Amino acid sequence: WKFGETVLVDDTDYDISTSSGSYVRRDVLTINTLETSNTGTYQCSATYTEGSVATSKDISLTVYEVSSVVSSSGTVDAGSEFILTCTHSALDTGLVVAWTLNGGDPITEGITADGPTKSLLTVSSATAQHNGVYECSVTFGDVGTVTDQVTQYVRVIEGTATQHALDGAATHELSAPTVWKFGETVLVDDSDYDISTSSGSYVRRDVLTINTLETSNTGTYQCSATYTEGSVATSKDISLTVYGIESVVSSSGTVDAGSEFILTCTHSALDTGLVVSWTLNGGDPITE
């Protein structure tokens, strides 16, 4: 066996084995650690006893160094654009690139090629749903498939007010506890408020519960968080309106038969959703 002009021997780089059968002798050269430097022409030559005839066969071998490396520009704020880059080897044919998020279905939007060795995944407006592990898989025809992953974080503070509870969801790792404020007052877990925290995949959720709701609780609450990466602080204002609703009925007093009387129901005012009904002795609603 030769590689170029070099005669190959059975050693740590190569294994040379021989097997014989009827009228056939088979010689196999095995390359123990395949590298791109093994690309080239190998020659198997044999000399026959009859007439000392020599013959040889050239065998061409091409070794592809296939790879896939995914990179990210780092943590981004919600609403920002981010681009993930998958740098891979180049082949003339049979190259297929696929992107997934958190092991889901292949991503079909925002993927472009940047030359023969780069695939770009662009997200134009990041949300909490874009947090997770992105994987780039590259299939090189019959050669095989290689993959690489990167975790992308999106900084998000979301807030909602539902009945007594204010809900703030903070994505990405936090370097300090979430802080709740009402105006300039920092709120703590006490008889007036309950503050609870739960964590999931890429999300930490903080809930502020007002134990006894009063009209004085109307105002703007702030949920703020500080992230470990770059000590970035962000916050979300949540407005809460507490209506003091009531109903007071008054009468002009006892009247004689045949006389007119008027009952008055004084109640709170709401912009929408206000329905007033009257009944007598628990009967059906009065319509006239």
Side-chain angles (χ1 to χ4, degrees):
W1 284 97
K2 282 186 176 182
F3 180 48
E5 296 300 318
T6 303
V7 176
L8 306 179
V9 296
D10 195 300
D11 56 14
T12 56
D13 295 326
Y14 303 98
D15 283 333
I16 299 175
S17 60
T18 300
S19 62
S20 298
S22 299
Y23 312 107
V24 176
R25 169 174 151 171
R26 185 173 300 278
D27 293 77
V28 177
L29 170 69
T30 301
I31 304 171
N32 294 326
T33 303
L34 207 59
E35 299 177 354
T36 54
S37 59
N38 295 122
T39 294
T41 300
Y42 294 77
Q43 185 185 79
C44 171
S45 62
T47 301
Y48 293 99
T49 55
E50 186 171 327
S52 299
V53 178
T55 186
S56 64
K57 176 72 175 179
D58 289 341
I59 306 170
S60 294
L61 175 68
T62 302
V63 181
Y64 297 101
E65 183 179 3
V66 294
S67 63
S68 170
V69 178
V70 181
S71 59
S72 165
S73 55
T75 301
V76 298
D77 292 322
S80 301
E81 176 185 85
F82 68 85
I83 299 175
L84 304 180
T85 303
C86 178
T87 304
H88 53 77
S89 308
L91 288 183
D92 295 334
T93 59
L95 182 66
V96 178
V97 180
W99 288 87
T100 60
L101 171 59
N102 296 327
D105 293 332
I107 299 170
T108 58
E109 298 181 355
I111 299 174
T112 57
D114 182 13
T117 62
K118 286 185 180 180
S119 175
L120 306 181
L121 173 60
T122 302
V123 174
S124 57
S125 182
T127 67
Q129 286 69 39
H130 292 112
N131 275 285
V133 177
Y134 289 82
E135 180 177 276
C136 173
S137 65
V138 186
T139 301
F140 298 88
D142 296 332
V143 178
T145 300
V146 292
T147 63
D148 194 36
Q149 297 177 338
V150 69
T151 301
Q152 177 66 45
Y153 291 108
V154 181
R155 286 185 289 258
V156 180
I157 291 288
E158 298 174 340
T160 56
T162 306
Q163 295 179 355
H164 291 209
L166 303 177
D167 193 348
T171 63
H172 195 36
E173 186 178 355
L174 302 179
S175 63
T178 301
V179 176
W180 286 96
K181 282 186 177 182
F182 179 48
E184 296 300 316
T185 303
V186 176
L187 306 181
V188 296
D189 196 299
D190 57 15
S191 59
D192 295 326
Y193 303 98
D194 282 335
I195 298 174
S196 60
T197 299
S198 62
S199 297
S201 299
Y202 312 106
V203 175
R204 169 174 150 170
R205 187 170 299 279
D206 295 75
V207 177
L208 170 69
T209 301
I210 303 170
N211 295 327
T212 303
L213 207 59
E214 299 176 355
T215 54
S216 58
N217 295 121
T218 294
T220 300
Y221 294 77
Q222 184 186 79
C223 170
S224 62
T226 302
Y227 295 97
T228 53
E229 185 165 328
S231 299
V232 178
T234 186
S235 64
K236 176 72 176 181
D237 289 341
I238 307 170
S239 294
L240 175 69
T241 301
V242 181
Y243 298 99
I245 55 177
E246 60 181 356
S247 172
V248 178
V249 179
S250 60
S251 165
S252 55
T254 303
V255 298
D256 293 324
S259 300
E260 177 189 79
F261 68 87
I262 299 175
L263 303 180
T264 302
C265 177
T266 303
H267 54 75
S268 307
L270 289 181
D271 296 334
T272 59
L274 184 65
V275 178
V276 179
S277 63
W278 289 86
T279 60
L280 173 61
N281 296 328
D284 294 333
I286 299 171
T287 58
E288 295 181 355

